[in-house]
Short mmCIF file of all heavy atoms in Angstrom, two decimals:
data_model
loop_
_atom_site.label_atom_id
_atom_site.label_comp_id
_atom_site.label_asym_id
_atom_site.label_seq_id
_atom_site.Cartn_x
_atom_site.Cartn_y
_atom_site.Cartn_z
N TRP Q 22 -29.14 0.82 9.70
CA TRP Q 22 -28.60 2.16 9.46
C TRP Q 22 -28.06 2.76 10.75
O TRP Q 22 -26.98 3.37 10.78
CB TRP Q 22 -29.68 3.09 8.89
CG TRP Q 22 -29.72 3.10 7.39
CD1 TRP Q 22 -30.66 2.55 6.58
CD2 TRP Q 22 -28.76 3.71 6.52
NE1 TRP Q 22 -30.35 2.76 5.26
CE2 TRP Q 22 -29.19 3.48 5.19
CE3 TRP Q 22 -27.59 4.42 6.73
CZ2 TRP Q 22 -28.49 3.94 4.09
CZ3 TRP Q 22 -26.87 4.88 5.63
CH2 TRP Q 22 -27.33 4.64 4.34
N ASP Q 23 -28.80 2.61 11.82
CA ASP Q 23 -28.37 3.16 13.10
C ASP Q 23 -27.05 2.56 13.54
O ASP Q 23 -26.14 3.27 13.99
CB ASP Q 23 -29.45 2.90 14.16
CG ASP Q 23 -29.08 3.47 15.51
OD1 ASP Q 23 -28.78 4.68 15.59
OD2 ASP Q 23 -29.08 2.72 16.51
N SER Q 24 -26.92 1.26 13.38
CA SER Q 24 -25.68 0.57 13.75
C SER Q 24 -24.52 1.02 12.88
O SER Q 24 -23.42 1.31 13.38
CB SER Q 24 -25.88 -0.95 13.62
OG SER Q 24 -24.69 -1.63 13.92
N ALA Q 25 -24.76 1.10 11.58
CA ALA Q 25 -23.70 1.48 10.64
C ALA Q 25 -23.23 2.91 10.87
O ALA Q 25 -22.03 3.19 10.95
CB ALA Q 25 -24.19 1.32 9.21
N LEU Q 26 -24.17 3.84 11.02
CA LEU Q 26 -23.80 5.24 11.17
C LEU Q 26 -23.16 5.54 12.52
O LEU Q 26 -22.34 6.44 12.63
CB LEU Q 26 -25.03 6.13 10.96
CG LEU Q 26 -25.58 6.14 9.51
CD1 LEU Q 26 -26.80 7.04 9.41
CD2 LEU Q 26 -24.51 6.60 8.53
N SER Q 27 -23.53 4.76 13.53
CA SER Q 27 -22.88 4.93 14.84
C SER Q 27 -21.39 4.66 14.72
O SER Q 27 -20.56 5.33 15.35
CB SER Q 27 -23.52 4.00 15.87
OG SER Q 27 -24.85 4.36 16.13
N ASN Q 28 -21.04 3.67 13.93
CA ASN Q 28 -19.63 3.34 13.73
C ASN Q 28 -18.95 4.27 12.73
O ASN Q 28 -17.80 4.67 12.93
CB ASN Q 28 -19.49 1.89 13.26
CG ASN Q 28 -19.77 0.89 14.37
OD1 ASN Q 28 -18.93 0.63 15.22
ND2 ASN Q 28 -20.98 0.34 14.39
N LEU Q 29 -19.66 4.64 11.67
CA LEU Q 29 -19.09 5.55 10.69
C LEU Q 29 -18.87 6.94 11.28
O LEU Q 29 -18.00 7.69 10.81
CB LEU Q 29 -20.01 5.65 9.47
CG LEU Q 29 -20.00 4.45 8.52
CD1 LEU Q 29 -21.13 4.57 7.50
CD2 LEU Q 29 -18.65 4.34 7.81
N ASN Q 30 -19.62 7.28 12.31
CA ASN Q 30 -19.48 8.60 12.93
C ASN Q 30 -18.08 8.79 13.50
O ASN Q 30 -17.51 9.88 13.42
CB ASN Q 30 -20.52 8.78 14.03
CG ASN Q 30 -20.53 10.19 14.59
OD1 ASN Q 30 -20.55 11.16 13.83
ND2 ASN Q 30 -20.50 10.31 15.90
N TYR Q 31 -17.52 7.73 14.08
CA TYR Q 31 -16.16 7.83 14.62
C TYR Q 31 -15.16 8.12 13.50
O TYR Q 31 -14.29 8.99 13.63
CB TYR Q 31 -15.78 6.55 15.35
CG TYR Q 31 -14.33 6.53 15.81
CD1 TYR Q 31 -13.94 7.24 16.94
CD2 TYR Q 31 -13.37 5.83 15.08
CE1 TYR Q 31 -12.62 7.25 17.35
CE2 TYR Q 31 -12.04 5.83 15.48
CZ TYR Q 31 -11.67 6.54 16.62
OH TYR Q 31 -10.35 6.55 17.01
N ILE Q 32 -15.29 7.38 12.40
CA ILE Q 32 -14.40 7.58 11.25
C ILE Q 32 -14.53 9.00 10.72
O ILE Q 32 -13.54 9.68 10.43
CB ILE Q 32 -14.71 6.55 10.15
CG1 ILE Q 32 -14.45 5.14 10.65
CG2 ILE Q 32 -13.87 6.83 8.90
CD1 ILE Q 32 -14.86 4.05 9.70
N LYS Q 33 -15.76 9.47 10.62
CA LYS Q 33 -16.02 10.83 10.12
C LYS Q 33 -15.35 11.86 11.02
O LYS Q 33 -14.71 12.80 10.53
CB LYS Q 33 -17.52 11.07 10.06
CG LYS Q 33 -17.91 12.48 9.63
CD LYS Q 33 -19.42 12.61 9.60
CE LYS Q 33 -19.84 14.04 9.34
NZ LYS Q 33 -19.46 14.93 10.46
N ARG Q 34 -15.48 11.71 12.33
CA ARG Q 34 -14.88 12.69 13.25
C ARG Q 34 -13.36 12.70 13.14
O ARG Q 34 -12.73 13.75 13.23
CB ARG Q 34 -15.30 12.37 14.69
CG ARG Q 34 -16.73 12.78 15.00
CD ARG Q 34 -17.03 12.77 16.50
NE ARG Q 34 -17.05 11.42 17.05
CZ ARG Q 34 -16.17 10.94 17.92
NH1 ARG Q 34 -15.17 11.69 18.33
NH2 ARG Q 34 -16.29 9.71 18.40
N MET Q 35 -12.78 11.53 12.92
CA MET Q 35 -11.32 11.45 12.83
C MET Q 35 -10.79 12.07 11.54
O MET Q 35 -9.65 12.53 11.48
CB MET Q 35 -10.86 9.98 12.92
CG MET Q 35 -11.07 9.34 14.29
SD MET Q 35 -10.15 10.16 15.63
CE MET Q 35 -11.45 11.13 16.41
N PHE Q 36 -11.62 12.09 10.49
CA PHE Q 36 -11.17 12.61 9.20
C PHE Q 36 -11.57 14.06 8.94
O PHE Q 36 -11.10 14.66 7.98
CB PHE Q 36 -11.74 11.74 8.06
CG PHE Q 36 -10.92 10.53 7.74
CD1 PHE Q 36 -11.07 9.36 8.48
CD2 PHE Q 36 -9.99 10.54 6.71
CE1 PHE Q 36 -10.31 8.24 8.19
CE2 PHE Q 36 -9.23 9.43 6.42
CZ PHE Q 36 -9.38 8.26 7.16
N THR Q 37 -12.42 14.62 9.80
CA THR Q 37 -12.99 15.93 9.54
C THR Q 37 -11.96 17.00 9.25
O THR Q 37 -12.16 17.87 8.39
CB THR Q 37 -13.87 16.38 10.73
OG1 THR Q 37 -14.95 15.45 10.87
CG2 THR Q 37 -14.45 17.76 10.49
N ARG Q 38 -10.82 16.95 9.92
CA ARG Q 38 -9.80 18.00 9.77
C ARG Q 38 -8.63 17.55 8.90
O ARG Q 38 -7.58 18.18 8.90
CB ARG Q 38 -9.30 18.42 11.16
CG ARG Q 38 -10.37 19.10 11.99
CD ARG Q 38 -9.93 19.38 13.43
NE ARG Q 38 -9.78 18.15 14.19
CZ ARG Q 38 -8.65 17.77 14.76
NH1 ARG Q 38 -7.56 18.50 14.63
NH2 ARG Q 38 -8.58 16.64 15.45
N SER Q 39 -8.82 16.46 8.14
CA SER Q 39 -7.75 15.97 7.27
C SER Q 39 -8.04 16.32 5.81
O SER Q 39 -9.17 16.64 5.44
CB SER Q 39 -7.62 14.45 7.41
OG SER Q 39 -8.65 13.79 6.70
N GLY Q 40 -7.00 16.21 5.00
CA GLY Q 40 -7.15 16.50 3.57
C GLY Q 40 -7.99 15.48 2.84
O GLY Q 40 -8.43 15.73 1.71
N ASN Q 41 -8.23 14.34 3.46
CA ASN Q 41 -9.02 13.28 2.83
C ASN Q 41 -10.51 13.38 3.14
O ASN Q 41 -11.29 12.56 2.68
CB ASN Q 41 -8.52 11.90 3.29
CG ASN Q 41 -7.09 11.64 2.86
OD1 ASN Q 41 -6.72 11.92 1.73
ND2 ASN Q 41 -6.26 11.11 3.76
N TYR Q 42 -10.89 14.38 3.93
CA TYR Q 42 -12.29 14.45 4.34
C TYR Q 42 -13.23 14.64 3.16
O TYR Q 42 -14.34 14.11 3.15
CB TYR Q 42 -12.49 15.60 5.34
CG TYR Q 42 -13.94 15.75 5.76
CD1 TYR Q 42 -14.56 14.77 6.53
CD2 TYR Q 42 -14.70 16.85 5.35
CE1 TYR Q 42 -15.89 14.89 6.90
CE2 TYR Q 42 -16.02 16.98 5.72
CZ TYR Q 42 -16.61 16.01 6.50
OH TYR Q 42 -17.94 16.13 6.86
N GLY Q 43 -12.82 15.39 2.15
CA GLY Q 43 -13.68 15.62 0.99
C GLY Q 43 -14.11 14.33 0.33
O GLY Q 43 -15.28 14.15 -0.02
N ALA Q 44 -13.17 13.40 0.18
CA ALA Q 44 -13.48 12.11 -0.45
C ALA Q 44 -14.43 11.31 0.43
O ALA Q 44 -15.37 10.68 -0.06
CB ALA Q 44 -12.19 11.33 -0.69
N LEU Q 45 -14.18 11.33 1.75
CA LEU Q 45 -15.05 10.60 2.67
C LEU Q 45 -16.46 11.20 2.66
O LEU Q 45 -17.45 10.47 2.64
CB LEU Q 45 -14.48 10.63 4.09
CG LEU Q 45 -15.34 9.97 5.17
CD1 LEU Q 45 -15.49 8.48 4.89
CD2 LEU Q 45 -14.76 10.21 6.56
N LYS Q 46 -16.53 12.52 2.66
CA LYS Q 46 -17.82 13.20 2.64
C LYS Q 46 -18.62 12.82 1.39
O LYS Q 46 -19.82 12.51 1.48
CB LYS Q 46 -17.60 14.71 2.68
CG LYS Q 46 -18.87 15.55 2.56
CD LYS Q 46 -18.51 17.03 2.53
CE LYS Q 46 -19.75 17.88 2.26
NZ LYS Q 46 -19.40 19.32 2.17
N ASN Q 47 -17.98 12.82 0.24
CA ASN Q 47 -18.67 12.44 -1.00
C ASN Q 47 -19.14 11.00 -0.96
O ASN Q 47 -20.23 10.67 -1.44
CB ASN Q 47 -17.75 12.66 -2.20
CG ASN Q 47 -17.50 14.14 -2.47
OD1 ASN Q 47 -18.31 14.99 -2.11
ND2 ASN Q 47 -16.37 14.45 -3.11
N TYR Q 48 -18.30 10.13 -0.38
CA TYR Q 48 -18.67 8.71 -0.27
C TYR Q 48 -19.89 8.55 0.63
O TYR Q 48 -20.84 7.83 0.29
CB TYR Q 48 -17.49 7.91 0.28
CG TYR Q 48 -17.85 6.50 0.67
CD1 TYR Q 48 -18.08 5.53 -0.31
CD2 TYR Q 48 -17.99 6.14 2.01
CE1 TYR Q 48 -18.44 4.24 0.04
CE2 TYR Q 48 -18.34 4.84 2.36
CZ TYR Q 48 -18.57 3.91 1.37
OH TYR Q 48 -18.93 2.62 1.72
N LEU Q 49 -19.88 9.23 1.77
CA LEU Q 49 -21.00 9.12 2.71
C LEU Q 49 -22.28 9.66 2.09
O LEU Q 49 -23.36 9.09 2.28
CB LEU Q 49 -20.67 9.88 4.00
CG LEU Q 49 -19.58 9.27 4.88
CD1 LEU Q 49 -19.24 10.20 6.03
CD2 LEU Q 49 -20.02 7.90 5.41
N LEU Q 50 -22.17 10.74 1.34
CA LEU Q 50 -23.36 11.29 0.67
C LEU Q 50 -23.91 10.33 -0.38
O LEU Q 50 -25.12 10.24 -0.58
CB LEU Q 50 -23.03 12.64 0.03
CG LEU Q 50 -23.00 13.84 0.97
CD1 LEU Q 50 -22.49 15.08 0.26
CD2 LEU Q 50 -24.39 14.11 1.55
N THR Q 51 -23.01 9.59 -1.01
CA THR Q 51 -23.44 8.62 -2.02
C THR Q 51 -24.34 7.55 -1.41
O THR Q 51 -25.35 7.16 -1.99
CB THR Q 51 -22.22 7.95 -2.68
OG1 THR Q 51 -21.45 8.94 -3.35
CG2 THR Q 51 -22.66 6.89 -3.68
N ILE Q 52 -23.97 7.09 -0.22
CA ILE Q 52 -24.78 6.03 0.39
C ILE Q 52 -25.97 6.59 1.18
O ILE Q 52 -26.96 5.89 1.40
CB ILE Q 52 -23.93 5.10 1.30
CG1 ILE Q 52 -23.30 5.89 2.45
CG2 ILE Q 52 -22.86 4.40 0.48
CD1 ILE Q 52 -22.54 5.00 3.43
N LEU Q 53 -25.88 7.86 1.60
CA LEU Q 53 -26.95 8.44 2.42
C LEU Q 53 -28.06 9.10 1.61
O LEU Q 53 -29.20 9.18 2.06
CB LEU Q 53 -26.37 9.49 3.38
CG LEU Q 53 -25.84 8.96 4.71
CD1 LEU Q 53 -24.90 9.97 5.35
CD2 LEU Q 53 -27.00 8.65 5.64
N THR Q 54 -27.74 9.57 0.41
CA THR Q 54 -28.73 10.29 -0.38
C THR Q 54 -30.00 9.48 -0.65
O THR Q 54 -31.12 10.01 -0.49
CB THR Q 54 -28.12 10.78 -1.71
OG1 THR Q 54 -27.03 11.67 -1.42
CG2 THR Q 54 -29.15 11.52 -2.54
N PRO Q 55 -29.90 8.20 -1.03
CA PRO Q 55 -31.14 7.43 -1.22
C PRO Q 55 -31.99 7.34 0.04
O PRO Q 55 -33.22 7.40 -0.03
CB PRO Q 55 -30.62 6.04 -1.64
CG PRO Q 55 -29.28 6.30 -2.23
CD PRO Q 55 -28.70 7.41 -1.41
N LEU Q 56 -31.34 7.24 1.20
CA LEU Q 56 -32.08 7.19 2.46
C LEU Q 56 -32.78 8.52 2.71
O LEU Q 56 -33.97 8.55 3.08
CB LEU Q 56 -31.13 6.87 3.62
CG LEU Q 56 -31.78 6.83 5.01
CD1 LEU Q 56 -32.71 5.64 5.12
CD2 LEU Q 56 -30.71 6.78 6.10
N TYR Q 57 -32.07 9.61 2.51
CA TYR Q 57 -32.64 10.94 2.70
C TYR Q 57 -33.86 11.13 1.80
O TYR Q 57 -34.91 11.62 2.23
CB TYR Q 57 -31.58 12.00 2.40
CG TYR Q 57 -32.11 13.42 2.41
CD1 TYR Q 57 -32.22 14.13 3.60
CD2 TYR Q 57 -32.52 14.05 1.22
CE1 TYR Q 57 -32.71 15.43 3.61
CE2 TYR Q 57 -33.00 15.34 1.24
CZ TYR Q 57 -33.10 16.02 2.42
OH TYR Q 57 -33.59 17.31 2.43
#
């Protein structure tokens, strides 16, 4: 998880201010919710 999220963090930062961020956010929540 640490390895994966370290890399996904870059993608997240690059998309934060784009119109596609909502889709990325929902996708990340889908995979993170079971861990939480």
Side-chain angles (χ1 to χ4, degrees):
W22 269 108
D23 181 54
S24 178
L26 292 179
S27 293
N28 287 281
L29 285 170
N30 187 48
Y31 174 77
I32 297 174
K33 177 180 173 294
R34 284 193 291 113
M35 291 299 101
F36 275 84
T37 298
R38 294 173 291 120
S39 77
N41 296 316
Y42 178 68
L45 177 64
K46 176 184 174 182
N47 290 335
Y48 169 74
L49 291 173
L50 281 173
T51 298
I52 61 176
L53 273 161
T54 299
L56 178 69
Y57 173 84

